[in-house]
Amino acid sequence: MVISIAVHGAPYASQASRSALRFAECALARGHAVHRIFFYHEGVLAAGSHGVAPQDEEDVHAGWVSLQESHGVELAACIANSLKRGMLDAGERDRYEKPSATVHPRFTLVGLGQLVDAIATSDRFVTFAA
Amino acid sequence: MRRKRILFLLTRAPYASARAVETLESVQVAGVFEQEVSVLFKGAGVYQLLEGQEGSAVGQRTVGKILSALPEYDVERIFVCGPSMQRFGIEEADLCVAAQRLDQAEQRDLLAGQDAVVTG
């Protein structure tokens, strides 16, 4: 089965990102395909590479990066939701002349068409709300 | 792109957070991409439908105006939870767009007929 996942909650403020990460790992372990993780609303903050996880808590951002590196799962963050929350990749940093890029290169900033595409092309679309 | 039946379930009050506006942006895009879109307002989400909103007073876009423009994105199926309206004391005359009022059983049928449900 082809599965896509939406993450709406911010890491550390909400359990959404951790739950979604566990769900994705389990789906892959069961032999399903995970087409795209779409980060929306405060969920886009998971793309930030500047956060420092507390020592006694799981590093959610690192978990997503690791999932991408080991399984090639697409990590897509809504570009409009990202920009206003300070999530910029190198291209957007240059475009808006900001001091630094904040998004990890394993994440891509995409338009909402990619959300609709994820729904249309997957057998299941699972939302982890905040 | 494959055409699917997608229901957007709007459950948040407008203006307290960005949820309403951001979710409605994805509703618009789903319409543009020719999906079979339905929208159901439920719980505090029914406040998004109130007439006479002025978002600029609190530095935000006006949700009611976004709703009025949904037909331009080919989003025509607008539903509202009847029991939620009753709970918040909202009458049909208070709404800024025509929304079909559904009871619980009708909402179950609406959800059962979808390929995907997106909460916002």
Side-chain angles (χ1 to χ4, degrees):
Chain A
M1 190 176 280
V2 179
I3 299 169
S4 281
I5 295 168
V7 181
H8 289 180
Y12 307 106
S14 146
Q15 188 62 14
S17 215
R18 285 196 191 101
S19 297
L21 179 59
R22 278 172 176 63
F23 178 79
E25 288 167 347
C26 290
L28 289 162
R30 292 278 186 103
H32 298 293
V34 176
H35 171 53
R36 180 174 296 140
I37 316 286
F38 195 88
F39 297 87
Y40 202 46
H41 305 302
E42 276 69 40
V44 299
L45 296 172
S49 57
H50 286 35
V52 180
Q55 283 186 354
D56 51 358
E57 285 190 46
E58 172 190 338
D59 188 332
V60 189
H61 170 75
W64 285 119
V65 171
S66 166
L67 184 84
Q68 202 287 327
E69 288 173 344
S70 50
H71 297 280
V73 172
E74 185 185 339
L75 305 178
C78 169
I79 188 166
N81 286 190
S82 293
L83 290 179
K84 63 183 170 182
R85 291 176 173 90
M87 294 289 107
L88 284 77
D89 60 14
E92 300 305 318
R93 173 201 60 201
D94 294 345
R95 187 198 313 272
Y96 294 102
E97 300 178 342
K98 295 293 181 184
S100 60
T102 47
V103 166
H104 191 282
R106 293 283 178 180
F107 288 77
T108 51
L109 301 183
V110 302
L112 279 171
Q114 297 302 305
L115 169 66
V116 180
D117 171 80
I119 298 170
T121 58
S122 303
D123 300 309
R124 292 285 185 278
F125 180 77
V126 185
T127 300
F128 289 83
Chain B
M1 195 182 289
R2 232 187 105 192
R3 184 177 163 88
K4 284 204 173 177
R5 289 161 298 186
I6 306 173
L7 173 73
F8 289 85
L9 186 59
L10 287 128
T11 61
R12 307 293 182 103
Y15 309 112
S17 78
R19 280 306 161 95
V21 168
E22 289 178 352
T23 304
L24 287 168
E25 285 167 350
S26 57
V27 171
Q28 292 172 336
V29 174
V32 168
F33 281 82
E34 296 177 337
Q35 302 298 304
E36 197 177 319
V37 178
S38 301
V39 185
L40 171 62
F41 294 89
K42 195 169 170 66
V46 297
Y47 282 118
Q48 295 181 34
L49 289 163
L50 281 181
E51 200 167 43
Q53 301 172 37
E54 189 49 68
S56 64
V58 288
Q60 295 190 33
R61 289 170 65 194
T62 300
V63 171
K65 278 187 190 160
I66 301 173
L67 296 179
S68 304
L70 284 180
E72 293 168 28
Y73 298 87
D74 291 324
V75 177
E76 312 263 10
R77 283 175 290 272
I78 310 289
F79 302 98
V80 59
C81 169
S84 298
M85 286 178 68
Q86 199 172 13
R87 181 178 155 207
F88 292 109
I90 295 170
E91 310 279 341
E92 269 157 70
D94 302 326
L95 306 183
C96 63
V97 294
Q100 191 183 334
R101 189 172 179 152
L102 303 181
D103 64 23
Q104 299 286 22
E106 290 167 327
Q107 290 175 53
R108 273 197 295 276
D109 291 344
L110 177 67
L111 264 76
Q114 304 299 317
D115 294 312
V117 177
V118 182
T119 49

